[in-house]
Amino acid sequence: MAARTSPFDLSKCARPNILQLQPYRCARDDYKDDGTNVLLDANENAYGPGLVLNSEGALQADGAGVSTGASKPEIDFLGLNRYPDPHQIELKQLFCNLRNTHHHTPKTLRPENLFVGVGSDEAIDALLRCFCAPGKDKILTCPPTYGMYSVSAQVNDVAIVKVPLDAANGFHLQPDKVNEALSADPSIKLAYICSPGNPTANLIRKEDILAVLQHPTWNGVVAVDEAYIDFADEGASLAEWVTEWPNLVVMQTLSKAFGLAGIRLGVAYSSPPIAKLLNSLKAPYNISSPTSALATAALSAPNMAVMRHYRTQIVAQRDRLLRELPLIPGVGRFLGGHAANFLLVQILDKDGSPSNATATATYEAMAEKRGVVVRFRGKELGCEGSLRITVGTEEEVTTFLRELRGVLAGLHAN
Ligand SMILES: *Cc1c(COP(=O)(O)O)cnc(C)c1O
């Protein structure tokens, strides 16, 4: 039978900005996780979830993480026929307790200050939908930075104004330049600031964020992404500062320090009116009951102790990488800071210059021949020749250092 001609033409039917999207690609699309690779590409917690688990990997039923202390299992499988709680007040209160440190204000966060989402990626997107009219408003980002801001902007048909971090100077924010851009273009409604930065791993100075918050005329929102904040110094989080600033939003996640990337749970702290808008626009049942139960468990005292224990080990391995990586011939300097669970480091060519060709060859040889997957970041602004290395377990770091030495010796010998 001859093919029927159809009036349907996808290329003219779907929204033009959606047609231009490329599917998300990560290092694991190239190098599948077959269980043998050392995965230092996605900034996960290699030690595991911050939960007290038994030898089978099941959550302890003896009270660890259960707020009632009762010996019932964490996840009530019998309740899965019911819709989850759309408000998550108990979980929100635990997040408030976590960040009410009074380092930055005597005021206190309350559940009305919170939005909980499917990872902080949902919060990033929800903010865009909340504040930016498609085809009209804009966001501001500070490259090099996290890729989801621009992906979400493109999905929402929102343009991006870029004000780079100061690459020559430790990737600090340039608040004067940010403020100039905000003055010049009132259609910018949102500024995403990543602190600690990805891939730059440096904490943005509080006074630099303050300078943007104090912009005299701009009517917009400052969204600080603190996905890695638990790897920075104690008290570094500005979450509770949202009680002082009506246009500050602080995003966090359980995907990194808490080791729960698989459950997809992120939060945004804001003034109650902004939180109300975000909660109104979200899908009502965005947080599943199992995710809520695991997140609640993770924020209980015994499980927080597990998270802190793993974090101590990650920080120790980070310090070890800072000491031992520079001893390997062909490794250049660290870019950015070290306030996260990864490091950005330059790879040098035979002449000792940072080189994307050598860094790419290193990335590929490490994954294909040595079973160690890291992330090439050399195409990011100011990151020439760089690889981003997630801090793994002690054993993984040992393997990484040994294999990197071998790969670079081979590349430089040819
Ligand atoms: C990993 C990461 C996130 C996190 O995302 P989830 O959706 O919560 O897993 C957000 N921001 C930055 C900068 C990240 O690196």
Side-chain angles (χ1 to χ4, degrees):
M1 229 184 0
R4 188 173 68 92
T5 57
S6 165
F8 179 67
D9 180 350
L10 185 66
S11 70
K12 296 201 175 75
C13 185
R15 290 163 54 181
N17 57 306
I18 302 296
L19 286 166
Q20 278 167 24
L21 287 168
Q22 297 297 322
Y24 179 76
R25 280 198 73 75
C26 59
R28 258 164 251 181
D29 295 322
D30 301 325
Y31 306 110
K32 282 268 176 295
D33 179 17
D34 59 1
T36 63
N37 282 341
V38 174
L39 298 174
L40 306 180
D41 57 312
N43 299 343
E44 296 145 332
N45 187 330
Y47 286 88
L51 295 169
V52 183
L53 303 176
N54 68 21
S55 55
E56 269 96 54
L59 212 53
Q60 291 285 70
D62 63 2
V66 183
S67 49
T68 60
S71 64
K72 72 177 173 58
E74 300 300 325
I75 299 178
D76 178 6
F77 288 106
L78 292 174
L80 290 179
N81 54 320
R82 302 295 176 194
Y83 279 106
D85 174 6
H87 306 298
Q88 302 291 334
I89 302 299
E90 190 197 349
L91 179 59
K92 287 175 180 174
Q93 185 62 57
L94 294 173
F95 273 105
C96 292
N97 299 348
L98 178 67
R99 301 305 176 191
N100 279 323
T101 61
H102 302 305
H103 273 90
H104 306 283
T105 174
K107 294 184 186 160
T108 300
L109 290 163
R110 299 159 34 79
E112 301 88 89
N113 292 105
L114 269 151
F115 164 82
V116 283
V118 182
S120 33
D121 286 349
E122 185 182 1
I124 291 167
D125 191 68
L127 283 167
L128 258 155
R129 287 188 287 144
C130 187
F131 291 103
C132 298
K136 180 166 158 263
D137 293 327
K138 299 178 188 151
I139 64 165
L140 181 144
T141 65
C142 302
T145 193
Y146 185 48
M148 277 309 289
Y149 314 137
S150 62
V151 171
S152 263
Q154 193 182 342
V155 168
N156 290 290
D157 197 15
V158 166
I160 307 176
V161 172
K162 294 179 181 174
V163 179
L165 298 171
D166 190 353
N169 232 319
F171 292 108
H172 285 294
L173 193 72
Q174 309 196 79
D176 294 345
K177 291 186 179 166
V178 170
N179 282 348
E180 245 173 71
L182 298 177
S183 299
D185 192 343
S187 67
I188 300 171
K189 290 294 184 62
L190 256 174
Y192 288 102
I193 297 173
C194 195
S195 176
N198 176 5
T200 49
N202 67 326
L203 198 70
I204 300 298
R205 299 186 193 105
K206 186 180 175 184
E207 68 259 34
D208 290 347
I209 292 171
L210 179 65
V212 180
L213 287 168
Q214 287 178 324
H215 192 291
T217 57
W218 178 57
N219 181 15
V221 169
V222 178
V224 179
D225 185 345
E226 293 189 339
Y228 299 98
I229 198 65
D230 290 296
F231 298 106
D233 290 342
E234 203 70 39
S237 172
L238 296 178
E240 64 182 2
W241 222 24
V242 305
T243 61
E244 301 282 353
W245 296 95
N247 62 333
L248 174 64
V249 176
V250 175
M251 298 179 286
Q252 295 175 355
T253 177
L254 294 184
S255 295
K256 309 288 159 59
F258 286 83
L260 289 169
I263 74 169
R264 311 303 303 127
L265 196 289
V267 299
Y269 298 85
S270 70
S271 64
I274 291 181
K276 192 174 173 191
L277 294 180
L278 298 176
N279 284 309
S280 303
L281 73 82
K282 78 179 178 73
Y285 307 115
N286 61 333
I287 306 301
S288 76
S289 315
T291 288
S292 175
L294 287 163
T296 303
L299 295 173
S300 73
N303 289 322
M304 286 288 297
V306 176
M307 183 279 276
R308 289 199 191 93
H309 173 68
Y310 288 159
R311 180 178 61 187
T312 303
Q313 298 186 57
I314 290 166
V315 168
Q317 292 307 311
R318 182 178 77 195
D319 291 345
R320 177 183 167 209
L321 280 167
L322 284 167
R323 282 193 311 272
E324 296 186 20
L325 254 180
L327 305 177
I328 297 175
V331 171
R333 60 187 193 91
F334 291 106
L335 302 178
H338 44 263
N341 66 336
F342 57 87
L343 294 167
L344 190 65
V345 69
Q346 282 185 322
I347 302 298
L348 309 177
D349 63 17
K350 274 189 246 184
D351 304 327
S353 306
S355 156
N356 273 355
T358 314
T360 309
T362 303
Y363 163 74
E364 286 171 359
M366 287 291 280
E368 288 164 21
K369 304 204 176 73
R370 314 277 177 145
V372 181
V373 185
V374 298
R375 197 110 208 240
F376 172 68
R377 294 280 84 174
K379 295 214 170 111
E380 303 292 313
L381 196 73
C383 300
E384 178 78 17
S386 70
L387 298 178
R388 192 192 68 192
I389 320 292
T390 304
V391 180
T393 63
E394 180 174 5
E395 208 189 329
E396 289 173 337
V397 170
T398 301
T399 302
F400 164 73
L401 289 167
R402 181 187 64 230
E403 300 303 336
L404 181 68
R405 185 180 284 275
V407 163
L408 282 172
L411 287 173
H412 285 189
N414 290 330

